[in-house]
Amino acid sequence: MTATQTPPPAPVRSWWGWGWSQSALSDEECVELAARLPGLPARPLPVPKVSGLALPAVRITPPDSLADRISSAPLDRASHTYGKAYRDVVRALHGDVTAAPDAVAFPRSEREVVNVLDWASGHDVAVIPYGAGSSVVGGTEYRDGGHAGVLSLDLSAMDEVLEVDRTSRAARIQAGSRGPVLEGQLRPHGLTLRHFPQSFEFSTLGGWLATRAGGHYATLYTHIDDLVESMRVVTPAGTGESWRLPGSGAGPSPDRLFLGSEGTLGVITEAWMRLQDRPVHKASASVDFDDFTAAMDAVRAISQSGLHPANCRLLDPGEAAMAGAAQRGESVLVLGVESAHQPVAGRLEELVAIARDHGGTPRPREGGAGDEGVGAWREAFLRMPYLRDALARMSAVVETFETACTWDRVAGLYTAVRDDLGAAVAEITGAPGLINCRFTHVYPDGAAPYFTVIAAGKRGSESAMWDDIKAAATEILTAHRATVTHHHAVGRDHRVGYDRQRPEPFALALRAAKSALDPAGVLNPGVLVDPVR
Amino acid sequence: MTATQTPPPAPVRSWWGWGWSQSALSDEECVELAARLPGLPARPLPVPKVSGLALPAVRITPPDSLADRISSAPLDRASHTYGKAYRDVVRALHGDVTAAPDAVAFPRSEREVVNVLDWASGHDVAVIPYGAGSSVVGGTEYRDGGHAGVLSLDLSAMDEVLEVDRTSRAARIQAGSRGPVLEGQLRPHGLTLRHFPQSFEFSTLGGWLATRAGGHYATLYTHIDDLVESMRVVTPAGTGESWRLPGSGAGPSPDRLFLGSEGTLGVITEAWMRLQDRPVHKASASVDFDDFTAAMDAVRAISQSGLHPANCRLLDPGEAAMAGAAQRGESVLVLGVESAHQPVAGRLEELVAIARDHGGTPRPREGGAGDEGVGAWREAFLRMPYLRDALARMSAVVETFETACTWDRVAGLYTAVRDDLGAAVAEITGAPGLINCRFTHVYPDGAAPYFTVIAAGKRGSESAMWDDIKAAATEILTAHRATVTHHHAVGRDHRVGYDRQRPEPFALALRAAKSALDPAGVLNPGVLVDPVR
């Protein structure tokens, strides 16, 4: 850069939608995108200015000792009102911020987290732990209504890799670290956490741990749960740290109680995470299937082969067409293999052979490293939420839901969602919608289908329409005993399905644990369990 | 078999020691074995007759509805008094059965388990869930003293594979199934649970789940935790079943709270378990190391290679000599590779190459399938507990303890145990003992060293001597923040170390869960948490 050049503007986070403001689609792009869907309004919803939002009055006064770390600035309150679900975006676009927290705390140390919880517990102030705000299940939105105040606890200032143990391939990482931030700090050590959820850029280690995130390396080590060596958790009843252990049979795993606790039992401040050497061998391939049932069988065989592909992603015909990966109604299986140590070409050939045995037709491989196609797919994949926001501005109903079940039920569930939810969408929106599916994760004993619903909505009723569709989807999942969530977590939006799915003795235990650790009932009230006060 | 042949006698379980009575060593064999250890008595302790044991008076009267399933026969009471730790065997040999339960229940259905818990909760009768009694940590021994009665709840009559889902490779299996029983029922389906703890013959699925057992496939899927798809658990507060799911992010895992709960929160009655195709490709190799530090480095490199050997077992010089696997003070690394699908010879060569790069000398491979050596080792391994019992009868102190820590601490821990515990053993027993070590499980981030202590004891003080040695060992483990147990569980014997290791917030949560699920405090009192009554 020469002295006369102006540096590019620093990216700014969107207060109402996904990611960076600069990456949002223009009004014209919104209109163009929506042209594919009949029945939508001609113009996008305007993005409200923060200065014009009717934020509720601030009800809390933090103590002087915390004043430097707590903000009631309108932008902070507005941007911490919701997560990034479709219904969140739509409500923000309509200027509805009645659920805004009174303030946002930005602690810079665990000690400050402790102080916040102490003060909140003593003043009946609800505390909503907040990583980077990518929840799509209402996990960061206060709805209870009964507290004297609401504080969003934003961990983003705690984003350091504090320690690296190269010998054990592990690192101590602060919970507020977003994906690119922590990977950037690990790279000089030749190490990677290799956990890449779709929200990678805009989610944090603490959020992944609190919600049991799934990464996009789709087999073997895909869940953040399996990458945890130890954790530190601040609860209103005290702070705890599990020992760094590669394995232990000492009672129920302490970490597993806090993994998935979604901020209801405590605030995760840091964790020792298991890392991997950075992969240097990579290869990928795509296989077409004319018959989706055959494709599912192929994926099952691959998942049970012991070959552990890094990527094993099946797109159904609708999803493949939408992604621009298919032109003639075929399904597409994307396979990737990676290793830090051994060449992977042979393993890829074995995987492709299994797919071929099940009727698949491998596409010609590109030259070079072989993952250009995967790279392009990854770019499109990371771009999706911005497109979702654009369609939301056009009052389309665009949302996803994910689940998982064992292989014996996968095909039946897929058909039921396509047929029964398709009928529900048509009834609710007044016109047929699109229901596409991809398998994001596969296991030897089952798969995680991820569905996308796209339909024409009605301006002003977008969120209500989606709620009706989602209720119908939950009924279908329940009927198939498919999980209410595979990696999006429960939050507040999934409580109905979660309460059906959770074994009652575990519910009793969880409520008891909640009462013991959060006796004032201030931690993320309404998530997982009803507030106990 | 012709009509005139007499069938061999059915094997009978030992009431005082390991396994089958018929497999115990004779008096002469005990004396011969003990000749290697100086300073022991000339004759073995006699095995007491059950009819001569001073069992305490029976205090409980079960209701008529349960009478058919509950026994107070002396043999049942004596054989359910202890697990199979060294100190258990020694106390039984000395005729000490003061801790005997009043009765043993043998339910044949989950309904009967519910009835037993209902009755026990209403009558202040402690219930000790019992699989096949192989606990080595006092997990099945009542010590509390405060209850109106004690009932051992033996699940062994519930030992059926109830359902097999070949598509998802899973089976619903009753908790009382011992290893060979369940594998025998899975074999016709071409499937295997492939979970082989040393206690395989004399432990049950329910016991494995309740104690978070580790199998002897030493990398990747080694812990029973990872093989669970769903579980049914009967608690005094109700019965629950988790859904069969290959993966889920719906709140903290319900199963993980009961895994490792050691009978304190409920009784596991059955589980859907993830299975594997039976391996058909097998290969193994042994590698010698002159330098144990180099051997540890080799094992670390292998554990971080992504090659996932089925077996990766390192014997230190003492352990290798004891096993007859070494003659000149070398360490021995045993490697095994298995697959149901792909040839494994190439993978074995890669593993051996890593070992060679770290200074190892591969032994000449035998012809044939290549696992004869492993088979012989496995036989010796399964025979070990019988030898332990024989030495116990000769009043030797012979016991093991296992742990795990991250790689950065492994070498230091090994040295500390050899040096500091060696000094403690010499002081406690009055003579140097043997302290051998093998790594039973390895992980990318650490290893699980398994130590064996052999020393000359003093007749009548065997158990007290071991308790002193064990206390010294626990101090060393604590100082290195190495887990008090890797796969033996906590029971009552590991409470001191466990209470130090467990994060305090988790302790609060666990006690609260216990109170919620077992309000009368009858389930395995004293294990994991102090009785709350």
Side-chain angles (χ1 to χ4, degrees):
Chain A
M1 193 187 299
T2 66
T4 54
Q5 280 184 314
T6 310
V12 175
R13 290 287 298 280
S14 172
W15 77 264
W16 62 273
W18 188 256
W20 306 117
S21 284
Q22 290 87 332
S23 300
L25 275 67
S26 67
D27 286 7
E28 292 66 34
E29 288 170 322
C30 289
V31 171
E32 189 181 341
L33 187 66
R36 303 190 206 173
L37 263 184
L40 294 180
R43 299 297 306 162
L45 279 166
V47 175
K49 287 196 188 326
V50 170
S51 57
L53 293 172
L55 287 160
V58 174
R59 299 167 295 171
I60 61 175
T61 311
D64 289 349
S65 58
L66 294 171
D68 281 359
R69 300 287 183 263
I70 295 186
S71 162
S72 285
L75 179 58
D76 287 327
R77 294 180 67 201
S79 63
H80 287 72
T81 303
Y82 299 123
K84 293 292 183 261
Y86 167 74
R87 61 198 308 282
D88 300 339
V89 171
V90 166
R91 288 181 297 168
L93 287 171
H94 283 289
D96 174 4
V97 288
T98 48
D102 295 278
V104 183
F106 298 92
R108 296 186 192 173
S109 68
E110 185 177 285
R111 184 71 248 166
E112 293 182 357
V113 174
V114 171
N115 292 344
V116 166
L117 292 197
D118 283 351
W119 171 74
S121 290
H123 290 78
D124 191 34
V125 172
V127 175
I128 317 278
Y130 188 100
S134 69
S135 171
V136 290
V137 294
T140 57
E141 172 194 346
Y142 182 74
R143 289 185 201 161
D144 184 48
H147 291 79
V150 178
L151 185 68
S152 181
L153 181 60
D154 184 316
L155 278 292
S156 62
M158 295 170 63
D159 66 349
E160 294 287 321
V161 173
L162 299 171
E163 213 173 328
V164 172
D165 171 0
R166 191 65 187 79
T167 305
S168 312
R169 294 199 322 198
R172 184 159 71 93
I173 307 173
Q174 286 187 303
S177 309
R178 289 187 297 111
V181 173
L182 70 87
E183 286 292 342
Q185 293 178 71
L186 295 174
R187 194 172 295 115
H189 301 274
L191 294 169
T192 171
L193 181 59
R194 209 160 167 275
H195 183 74
F196 299 107
Q198 187 174 13
S199 61
F200 178 70
E201 270 186 284
F202 305 105
S203 55
T204 62
L205 175 64
W208 302 339
L209 296 168
T211 60
R212 298 176 66 196
H216 277 291
Y217 290 102
T219 68
L220 213 52
Y221 301 116
T222 184
H223 287 281
I224 198 77
D225 318 39
D226 297 321
L227 309 181
V228 178
E229 204 172 68
S230 83
M231 281 163 52
R232 280 186 72 87
V233 184
V234 175
T235 80
T239 298
E241 181 179 53
S242 52
W243 286 11
R244 285 188 63 198
L245 297 171
S248 172
S253 162
D255 295 337
R256 296 274 181 174
L257 180 65
F258 293 100
L259 288 163
S261 63
E262 302 189 22
T264 62
L265 301 180
V267 178
I268 299 161
T269 54
E270 61 180 55
W272 274 96
M273 299 301 297
R274 299 178 178 132
L275 307 174
Q276 300 181 49
D277 295 315
R278 299 182 65 81
V280 291
H281 305 279
K282 299 184 185 188
S284 60
S286 299
V287 184
D288 293 342
F289 287 87
D290 291 330
D291 176 356
F292 189 62
T293 303
M296 287 191 283
D297 285 344
V299 169
R300 179 167 68 84
I302 285 169
S303 73
Q304 297 179 344
S305 70
L307 290 168
H308 308 304
N311 199 355
C312 179
R313 178 169 298 262
L314 176 63
L315 314 181
D316 82 349
E319 184 83 11
M322 181 77 70
Q327 281 76 40
R328 46 170 194 84
E330 69 271 35
S331 313
V332 180
L333 173 62
V334 179
L335 292 168
V337 194
E338 295 191 6
S339 172
H341 304 283
Q342 295 90 26
V344 292
R347 193 143 55 97
L348 184 64
E349 290 313 318
E350 292 185 68
L351 291 163
V352 170
I354 294 172
R356 195 187 288 111
D357 288 347
H358 286 80
T361 306
R363 293 189 178 182
R365 226 75 59 81
E366 296 158 24
D371 66 342
E372 291 84 359
V374 173
W377 170 85
R378 185 167 172 275
E379 284 306 305
F381 179 62
L382 295 177
R383 183 90 183 127
M384 280 180 204
Y386 295 106
L387 303 182
R388 190 272 315 257
D389 288 355
L391 288 172
R393 289 189 60 202
M394 298 302 295
S395 296
V397 176
V398 192
E399 185 55 302
T400 63
F401 65 96
E402 26 74 75
T403 184
C405 64
T406 45
W407 283 115
D408 57 316
R409 291 172 286 155
V410 168
L413 175 70
Y414 175 76
T415 303
V417 170
R418 298 267 305 161
D419 294 352
D420 302 348
L421 191 63
V425 167
E427 189 179 323
I428 291 163
T429 68
L434 291 174
I435 300 178
N436 297 332
C437 180
R438 57 183 187 265
F439 289 6
T440 57
H441 300 75
V442 295
Y443 305 85
D445 61 334
Y450 189 106
F451 294 96
T452 300
V453 178
I454 304 179
K458 185 161 172 288
R459 186 147 289 173
S461 304
E462 301 95 336
S463 163
M465 279 179 159
W466 170 250
D467 289 348
D468 289 347
I469 295 169
K470 177 75 177 184
T474 301
E475 292 303 321
I476 296 168
L477 297 185
T478 302
H480 286 77
R481 283 172 80 95
T483 181
V484 69
T485 178
H486 174 265
H487 58 271
H488 283 174
V490 175
R492 292 166 178 86
D493 295 349
H494 280 154
R495 274 297 300 281
V496 171
Y498 175 63
D499 286 6
R500 293 177 189 166
Q501 174 174 340
R502 177 179 57 188
E504 190 51 31
F506 183 73
L508 291 174
L510 189 60
R511 281 188 213 114
K514 166 84 172 168
S515 294
L517 298 182
D518 176 27
V522 297
L523 277 175
N524 220 0
V527 170
L528 295 182
V529 290
D530 289 327
V532 182
R533 308 186 63 199
Chain B
M1 191 189 297
T2 66
T4 54
Q5 279 183 316
T6 310
V12 174
R13 291 288 298 281
S14 172
W15 78 266
W16 63 274
W18 188 257
W20 306 117
S21 284
Q22 289 88 333
S23 299
L25 276 66
S26 67
D27 286 9
E28 292 67 33
E29 289 170 320
C30 290
V31 171
E32 190 181 340
L33 187 67
R36 304 189 205 174
L37 265 184
L40 293 180
R43 300 296 306 162
L45 279 165
V47 175
K49 285 196 188 329
V50 170
S51 57
L53 293 172
L55 287 159
V58 174
R59 298 166 297 169
I60 61 175
T61 310
D64 290 348
S65 59
L66 293 171
D68 282 358
R69 301 286 184 263
I70 296 185
S71 162
S72 285
L75 179 59
D76 287 326
R77 296 180 66 202
S79 63
H80 287 74
T81 302
Y82 298 124
K84 294 291 184 260
Y86 167 75
R87 59 199 307 283
D88 299 338
V89 171
V90 165
R91 287 181 297 168
L93 287 171
H94 282 291
D96 174 2
V97 288
T98 48
D102 293 280
V104 183
F106 299 92
R108 295 185 193 174
S109 69
E110 185 177 283
R111 184 70 248 165
E112 293 182 357
V113 173
V114 171
N115 292 344
V116 165
L117 292 198
D118 282 351
W119 172 73
S121 290
H123 291 77
D124 191 35
V125 172
V127 175
I128 317 279
Y130 188 100
S134 69
S135 171
V136 290
V137 293
T140 58
E141 172 193 346
Y142 181 75
R143 290 184 201 161
D144 184 50
H147 290 80
V150 178
L151 184 68
S152 180
L153 180 60
D154 183 316
L155 277 292
S156 61
M158 293 170 64
D159 68 348
E160 294 286 321
V161 173
L162 298 172
E163 214 172 329
V164 173
D165 171 0
R166 191 65 187 78
T167 305
S168 312
R169 293 198 323 198
R172 185 159 70 94
I173 307 174
Q174 287 187 303
S177 309
R178 289 187 297 111
V181 172
L182 71 87
E183 286 292 344
Q185 293 178 72
L186 295 174
R187 195 170 295 115
H189 301 275
L191 294 168
T192 171
L193 181 59
R194 210 160 166 274
H195 184 73
F196 299 107
Q198 186 174 15
S199 62
F200 178 69
E201 270 187 283
F202 305 107
S203 55
T204 62
L205 174 64
W208 301 340
L209 296 168
T211 60
R212 299 177 66 196
H216 278 290
Y217 289 102
T219 68
L220 212 52
Y221 301 116
T222 185
H223 287 281
I224 198 77
D225 318 39
D226 296 322
L227 310 181
V228 177
E229 203 172 68
S230 83
M231 281 163 50
R232 280 186 71 87
V233 184
V234 176
T235 80
T239 299
E241 180 178 53
S242 52
W243 288 10
R244 286 187 62 199
L245 297 171
S248 174
S253 163
D255 294 338
R256 297 276 180 170
L257 181 64
F258 293 101
L259 289 163
S261 63
E262 303 190 21
T264 63
L265 302 180
V267 178
I268 299 162
T269 54
E270 62 181 54
W272 274 97
M273 299 300 298
R274 297 179 179 132
L275 307 174
Q276 300 181 51
D277 296 315
R278 300 181 65 81
V280 291
H281 304 279
K282 299 185 185 187
S284 60
S286 299
V287 183
D288 293 341
F289 287 87
D290 290 331
D291 176 357
F292 189 62
T293 302
M296 286 191 283
D297 285 344
V299 169
R300 179 166 68 83
I302 285 169
S303 73
Q304 298 179 344
S305 70
L307 291 168
H308 307 304
N311 200 356
C312 179
R313 180 168 297 261
L314 176 62
L315 314 181
D316 84 348
E319 183 83 10
M322 181 77 72
Q327 280 76 43
R328 48 171 192 81
E330 70 270 34
S331 313
V332 180
L333 172 62
V334 180
L335 292 168
V337 194
E338 295 191 5
S339 172
H341 303 282
Q342 295 89 25
V344 292
R347 192 143 54 98
L348 184 65
E349 291 313 317
E350 293 185 66
L351 290 162
V352 169
I354 294 173
R356 195 187 286 111
D357 287 348
H358 286 80
T361 307
R363 293 189 177 182
R365 227 74 59 78
E366 295 159 25
D371 65 341
E372 292 84 358
V374 173
W377 170 84
R378 186 168 172 274
E379 283 305 304
F381 179 64
L382 295 177
R383 183 87 184 132
M384 280 180 202
Y386 294 107
L387 303 181
R388 189 273 315 258
D389 288 355
L391 288 172
R393 289 189 61 202
M394 298 302 295
S395 297
V397 176
V398 192
E399 186 55 300
T400 64
F401 65 96
E402 25 76 73
T403 185
C405 65
T406 45
W407 283 115
D408 57 317
R409 291 172 283 154
V410 168
L413 175 70
Y414 175 76
T415 304
V417 170
R418 298 267 304 162
D419 293 354
D420 301 349
L421 190 63
V425 167
E427 189 180 323
I428 291 163
T429 68
L434 291 174
I435 300 179
N436 298 331
C437 180
R438 56 183 187 264
F439 289 7
T440 57
H441 300 75
V442 295
Y443 305 85
D445 61 334
Y450 189 108
F451 294 96
T452 301
V453 178
I454 304 179
K458 185 161 172 286
R459 186 148 288 172
S461 303
E462 300 95 335
S463 163
M465 280 178 157
W466 171 250
D467 289 348
D468 288 348
I469 295 169
K470 176 75 179 184
T474 301
E475 293 303 321
I476 296 168
L477 297 185
T478 302
H480 286 77
R481 283 173 80 95
T483 181
V484 68
T485 177
H486 173 266
H487 59 270
H488 283 174
V490 175
R492 292 165 177 87
D493 295 350
H494 281 155
R495 274 298 301 280
V496 171
Y498 175 63
D499 287 6
R500 293 177 189 167
Q501 174 175 339
R502 176 180 57 188
E504 189 53 29
F506 183 74
L508 291 173
L510 190 59
R511 281 187 213 112
K514 166 85 172 168
S515 294
L517 298 181
D518 177 27
V522 298
L523 277 174
N524 219 1
V527 169
L528 294 183
V529 290
D530 289 328
V532 183
R533 308 185 62 200

